[in-house]
Structure formats: structure tokens, C-alpha cells
Amino acid sequence: MKKNRKTFGMAMLCLLFSHLGFGQTLTLPDKVKYDIADSVLIKAPNGITLSAVVVRKKGAPLQQPTALMYFIYSDTKRSLMEAKYAADHGYVGIVADARGKRLSPDDPVPYEHEAKDVNLVIDWIVQQPWSDGRVAMYGGSYSGFAQWAAAKYLHPALKTIVPYVAAIPGLGLPMENNIFLLANYQWPFYVTNNKYTDDAVNNDGARWRAMRMKWWESGLAYNKVDSLDGTPNPWLQKWLSHPDYDTYWQSMVPFKQDYAKINIPVLTITGYYDDGQVSALEYLREHYKYRPNAEHYLIIGPYDHFGAQKGGIPNLRGYQVDERALINTREITFQWMDYILKAGKKPELLQDKINFEVMGANTWRHVPSLDQMEASKIRFYLDKTGEEYRLSPLKPVQGSFTDQTVDMRDRTTMNNDYYPDPIVKDEIDKSNGLFFLTKPFDTAVSVSGSLEGELKAIINKKDMDVGLTLYELTPDGQYFQLSYFLGRASYAHDSSKRKLLCPGKEETIPFYRSRVFSRQLKKGSRLLLMLNIDKNPFAEINYGTGKQVSRESMKDAGEPLKIKWSTQSYIDLGISSAEQ
């Protein structure tokens, strides 16, 4: 288990903090064929200065639409290559740096000002003689976030966005479903230590491993972790002061009715194994919730955070990806821009609003909504008969309970081994947690959508952090990881307002912000659900006192956490026969 969790930690760090993107080869522009401005300063009325590069192809029309990428990972060479690619495709190519980065004299401030700063860049663009007054934005991770931030105060010149693996600060990182993750810890140093990126800090894996394990073994409160590292982390402390998804976070991206005003076409791209998928799909769900007729398309397949930005890699964490799943994100992006801005042909893959690859079937499917990824849904109850734990499609006639005890002080074991690396395992750790199995499927079936449902439980404390992991258990005994959920029970009903559990009372804990997936299961396969409490070195530890979790320490643990899981608990999964 410890070996697997170590792998998880390093994978998360690599995926969340790297600014490298697309896999396609890019080249630098030359002064013979291109007009190049690599030191543009955009001075805003509010006194800040942003920097950018601008590349135009010589001989192009005097006025063109602009393809804009905005990012915090300043790198002049990469910016010029990005801008050249846009210029080669009939656009003015611009890559702008976030506040405080590259040539900006201001201080770097992650997340907090993009909603207005990106629109200042767009204001500048439309005032240039080469602009035709239309701007399209694209890019992944932080750049994806920046597009949605700009859409909060939608500029009339912004005509479309193409966000890949877009982050939502406060919802997907640095906390997920209100649980702060240590995998994000070094990121503020990485992007604020200098005007570019502090790669030495980012790549110091030994330092971060040692810090995590020292904190884990010490039992100190999560907000003391930087004292163990020896370097104060003011951004961590600021974020920890906002454990609710409150107005601090809400101000950074569209929130509720803001989505109703976003009337431009959107193409979202993410992956089943993207660490930030919950954010990318939250944007999509909220957009459709508040603007039901939104022209918002989704491409999703077996990609991680890197892979979604380039269109996949053949072997993903030990899983041999279907050939048809491998696409070209960059080409599709500019086809989409041509479709929206130049009356071009819609990208062939976009045959409906939701476009997803079925792992194992080597095929794409196209449906109007996430809820229609499969023809039907089946409710599976977390049942127990004797010593047998079952995922049963039959609701138990009489509710009963399954007991679980977790000593939050114990450091000899780690609970909740959920991170999908590798995706296909020969064995999984069953030393703790509860494991529920379906009967073998008598024919091949496809299972698609999110892992969602309701947990019902009685506990002896005021809170707990819950983990769920879904696998396909194949006939030959392999475990293929499909999805996982991680969340805090006290925020299950509202991420912006904590509601503590009442010890000794049965509580209902709904969940849906998990990883969406699609997989064709083999005949004879079974679904396996792991239910556990999250207790490991990779996230803050909830000791259940009801105090702010980041301030709890092992001294607050008290008696072990005792849970009585109701057999009325269930998950809902979209399932169809392979023939359907």
C-alpha cells in the first residue's frame, strides 16, 4: 500500500504542476515569414502591466481574428511557438502572461485577478489595427481556468473558448470536494518564486516526499505542514482560511447565474483520468444548468491531465489505449475556431454535445447530455448477506448496517488507496475498507457516466472524509480502475456551507463529483466498489471534532471513528448491453 501511495503522490505532482502541454511538434517563427513582437507590454487603466508575445504571418490579411492563450507558466520560447502555430492557421497568435510573470513588474497573484486581467488583454487586442474585433481563447489547465475566468465578465469580442482540463480554484484544487490535497503544495512556489517557473523547486521530489511523510508521522495539524518543510507557504495559509467554497473562490470563475450570460460556443476537452476532471465537468454541468440551450460540446476519453491536452498517449499508466481514442487536440481546436469564426466545417468528432470514447470497445459514442451516456441506469445497493458484501440491484427488504472502525491516530496503515496508477492492477490492497461486488455479467456490457449515489451512515463523530473507488474485476482476476470519489461528508449537500453530522444519528451523504468514465466490460466481469475513509499522507486528515479540519491534529483524534454503513446506501451507474 505504501508503495502504491508513493506512486500516487508523485503522479499527482507531475500532473498538476507541469506546464508542458501538447504533444505535437512546434517550431519557432522566423523574421523572414513572420512579424514577431516578443516583448509587448499591455498597460491597463488600473495601473497593472501584463506582457505578451504577438506573431503574425507576413502576407496575411490586414485584419484577422485572434487566437489567445493566457497562462502563468511563462516561457518566451514556448509562447512564440504557440503563437506561430496560430498564425499558421490564419489567426493573429497571442500568448499573454499572467500578472507578475515574465515582463510584468507586478507581483504574481495566482487565480485572484484573471476574471478581469484576461479581459484587459482582450480590450487591448481589439484596439490593435490588425484585429478584426474577434477573439477566441484556448489552452489547458491554468489556461483553461483563465478562459472561464474571462467568461465571468464576458467581453463582447470573446466569441468562443476551448478549455482543456480546466481548473476551478477551490473546487478541484487546492482542495477537491472541500478536502485539501498535499499534491498541490509546491505549486505556489513553482509559479511565484520568480518571473518564469521555479523548476528546481517543482522537481525536488525528495523534498516533498520527506515533508509529506514527516507530517504524516508527526500527527501535526495540516496547517503546520510548512513549518516541517522549513519554508513558510503564505498561499497555502491563505487558501486554508477558506475551507468553504465561499465568495473568495466564487469570485474567480462564473458562479450560478453568471453561467446564464455565457452565450458563446464552448468546446471542453478532458479525460477519464484527468486529475482536474471534476472541475472541467463542473463548468459544463453549471453552464447547462443555468443556460439549458448552451452551445457547449464535450470531448472526453482515456486521457490524463497531459494526454487530454494533446489527444492521448498509446500507453496510459499501463493501459493500452484504444487506437481510435488517439486524437489531435490542437487540430480539433483550430477546426473548431474555423467553424465558429470562419464558417468552416464542424470537427468530425463532434456529432452531438457529449462525445466520448468507450474504453475496450474502440469506438466513439455521441449523446445529447451526460445523463444519456447509457440507455439505462441501474441502482446498486451496498448490501451484506452473512460475510458476503454485494453490489445488489435489489433493494434490501429490511435495512441493516455494516460496521467499520478506523483509528485516526494509527500510522501503521493508510486508508483509501484510490489514485489510478497503474490503471490496471493484478491486485489491490484489501487490508482496510469495505469491498462490494456485483454478480458476473453474463454478457459484455458498457458502463458509462459518473460514480454517483447516496451513502447513509451513523457515526460517533461530527464529520468524516469518504473515498469510493470503482473497478472492473475481469474474469482473469485483473482490476481495471474506472472511477473514484473523494469528499467531505459535512459538505455533501453544499460545498459553500459546512453542516456537521450529528453523532449517533443516521445521515445521508449524496455524492456526484467523481470521475466520469466509459468502459465496455468483458463477459464474466464484475463491478467492485471500495468504500473507505480517507487517511493517508496525501491530504489533510479529518479527525471528526467539527473544528476546521486543517487545525485538527492527532491530539484531537479521541476514540476511533466508528461507522455503521446502511445497506440502503447505493450507487447509480449507466449500463447498457454491448449490443445496444
Side-chain angles (χ1 to χ4, degrees):
M1 174 120 178
K2 290 187 177 181
K3 181 179 178 181
N4 291 341
R5 301 299 290 171
K6 180 178 177 180
T7 303
F8 151 80
M10 290 311 297
M12 286 286 282
L13 290 171
C14 291
L15 293 174
L16 287 171
F17 303 132
S18 175
H19 65 280
L20 298 176
F22 322 92
Q24 293 77 29
T25 301
L26 300 180
T27 57
L28 285 166
D30 61 73
K31 294 182 179 180
V32 175
K33 298 179 181 178
Y34 302 89
D35 290 319
I36 304 168
D38 62 4
S39 302
V40 174
L41 295 178
I42 301 170
K43 298 184 178 181
N46 63 359
I48 69 156
T49 299
L50 304 173
S51 64
V53 305
V54 180
V55 176
R56 299 177 60 227
K57 197 163 189 177
K58 290 182 177 180
L62 294 178
Q63 292 186 325
Q64 293 176 289
T66 298
L68 169 64
M69 174 183 282
Y70 181 105
F71 74 159
I72 198 168
Y73 307 106
S74 295
D75 180 325
T76 305
K77 182 178 178 181
R78 179 190 168 189
S79 294
L80 288 170
M81 291 191 292
E82 290 284 359
K84 173 184 178 292
Y85 188 93
D88 287 339
H89 286 75
Y91 295 83
V92 178
I94 298 183
V95 177
D97 304 289
R99 180 184 298 201
K101 303 299 292 183
R102 208 165 70 96
L103 306 180
S104 169
D106 304 289
D107 293 328
V109 183
Y111 302 133
E112 294 183 4
H113 300 297
E114 266 64 21
K116 294 183 178 178
D117 285 1
V118 179
N119 283 308
L120 292 173
V121 175
I122 297 175
D123 273 340
W124 177 85
I125 288 171
V126 297
Q127 295 171 26
Q128 305 311 304
W130 38 255
S131 170
D132 73 354
R134 298 178 299 163
V135 177
M137 290 188 71
Y138 71 102
S141 199
Y142 197 94
S143 299
F145 146 72
Q147 294 167 64
W148 282 110
K152 186 177 181 72
Y153 306 111
L154 189 63
H155 197 292
L158 184 58
K159 301 303 182 182
T160 187
I161 59 175
V162 189
Y164 328 138
V165 294
I168 297 182
L171 194 150
L173 54 84
M175 61 181 180
E176 178 170 326
N177 293 323
N178 301 94
I179 299 175
F180 281 94
L181 306 174
L182 260 177
N184 301 104
Y185 181 86
Q186 71 201 52
W187 188 81
F189 300 133
Y190 179 45
V191 298
T192 65
N193 276 2
N194 60 48
K195 293 294 182 180
Y196 292 86
T197 54
D198 193 336
D199 296 320
V201 162
N202 187 54
N203 296 332
D204 193 354
R207 173 182 173 182
W208 309 120
R209 284 193 299 272
M211 181 197 71
R212 287 197 304 271
M213 295 310 299
K214 191 174 181 181
W215 167 74
W216 160 255
E217 292 164 359
S218 74
L220 287 175
Y222 189 82
N223 67 359
K224 302 295 184 183
V225 68
D226 55 352
S227 69
L228 296 174
D229 175 53
T231 303
N233 190 335
W235 282 104
L236 170 75
Q237 298 301 332
K238 184 173 189 177
W239 293 335
L240 288 177
S241 69
H242 297 277
D244 304 337
Y245 188 70
D246 59 14
T247 54
Y248 173 74
W249 304 110
Q250 294 166 13
S251 67
M252 299 178 190
V253 295
F255 184 67
K256 293 190 174 181
Q257 292 298 332
D258 293 337
Y259 286 97
K261 303 173 185 177
I262 301 175
N263 60 356
I264 59 173
V266 179
L267 172 57
T268 287
I269 302 175
T270 187
Y272 302 145
Y273 300 98
D274 168 31
D275 301 303
Q277 192 212 94
V278 292
S279 296
L281 295 187
E282 184 77 2
Y283 287 121
L284 182 141
R285 289 188 179 104
E286 292 295 284
H287 197 189
Y288 273 115
K289 178 180 178 180
Y290 290 98
R291 191 177 182 90
N293 63 341
E295 188 178 355
H296 192 150
Y297 288 77
L298 172 69
I299 295 173
I300 186 169
Y303 317 126
D304 62 8
H305 200 67
F306 288 157
Q309 297 180 68
K310 66 180 183 180
I313 56 177
N315 190 294
L316 177 61
R317 304 182 201 168
Y319 166 54
Q320 193 64 38
V321 172
D322 294 337
E323 183 179 358
R324 294 193 65 187
L326 301 176
I327 58 175
N328 189 318
T329 298
R330 188 184 295 279
E331 285 186 4
I332 291 172
T333 296
F334 282 85
Q335 289 170 6
W336 170 265
M337 290 183 186
D338 289 350
Y339 167 63
I340 300 300
L341 298 177
K342 299 180 179 181
K345 184 180 178 182
K346 183 191 293 186
E348 185 178 353
L349 189 56
L350 304 181
Q351 297 181 27
D352 212 325
K353 293 296 179 65
I354 309 299
N355 306 274
F356 62 101
E357 202 270 339
V358 184
M359 294 185 290
N362 195 28
T363 188
W364 285 86
R365 287 167 58 185
H366 316 273
V367 296
S369 70
L370 287 173
D371 289 337
Q372 295 173 279
M373 289 177 71
E374 295 292 356
S376 60
K377 280 195 173 183
I378 296 180
R379 178 162 292 178
F380 292 98
Y381 290 89
L382 279 57
D383 197 8
K384 181 185 179 185
T385 302
E387 296 301 314
E388 184 181 6
Y389 294 82
R390 298 184 300 166
L391 277 180
S392 173
L394 301 177
K395 185 176 183 178
V397 176
Q398 185 174 2
S400 59
F401 294 92
T402 302
D403 295 331
Q404 183 182 10
T405 299
V406 181
D407 185 352
M408 305 305 289
R409 298 170 300 180
D410 179 20
R411 292 297 181 266
T412 62
T413 60
M414 302 178 191
N415 287 56
N416 204 28
D417 185 21
Y418 61 86
Y419 193 73
D421 187 7
I423 292 169
V424 185
K425 303 177 177 73
D426 292 326
E427 59 180 357
I428 58 175
D429 180 19
K430 294 185 180 180
S431 62
N432 55 62
L434 304 175
F435 297 83
F436 299 85
L437 268 170
T438 64
K439 292 181 178 180
F441 291 97
D442 56 14
T443 184
V445 297
S446 61
V447 183
S448 306
S450 60
L451 171 61
E452 58 186 45
E454 283 188 354
L455 298 174
K456 296 179 183 293
I458 301 171
I459 69 172
N460 62 333
K461 295 181 182 287
K462 296 180 180 179
D463 204 1
M464 59 181 176
D465 292 348
V466 177
L468 291 160
T469 310
L470 185 68
Y471 298 92
E472 173 193 8
L473 176 56
T474 66
D476 56 0
Q478 287 191 315
Y479 298 86
F480 189 105
Q481 186 160 334
L482 302 172
S483 180
Y484 71 87
F485 167 82
L486 179 66
R488 181 155 294 157
S490 58
Y491 287 100
H493 295 277
D494 186 347
S495 62
S496 66
K497 186 177 181 180
R498 192 180 189 194
K499 182 182 178 183
L500 295 174
L501 281 62
C502 182
K505 177 185 175 183
E506 184 174 315
E507 302 275 5
T508 298
I509 305 164
F511 61 93
Y512 74 91
R513 287 195 189 100
S514 64
R515 268 60 182 179
V516 165
F517 69 96
S518 180
R519 167 78 171 165
Q520 181 168 296
L521 275 58
K522 302 174 182 177
K523 177 182 177 181
S525 284
R526 300 198 280 179
L527 289 171
L528 171 67
L529 180 74
M530 181 198 75
L531 169 62
N532 213 338
I533 298 300
D534 199 58
K535 186 199 71 169
N536 51 64
F538 304 99
E540 60 182 343
I541 297 174
N542 188 344
Y543 291 95
T545 66
K547 296 192 304 184
Q548 187 171 323
V549 173
S550 66
R551 298 175 183 174
E552 291 180 314
S553 72
M554 189 185 292
K555 294 179 181 179
D556 298 303
E559 65 177 329
L561 172 64
K562 297 178 180 178
I563 315 125
K564 298 177 74 66
W565 298 106
S566 171
T567 56
Q568 303 294 304
S569 303
Y570 64 82
I571 61 170
D572 290 329
L573 294 173
I575 297 183
S576 302
S577 69
E579 288 76 12
Q580 286 179 294

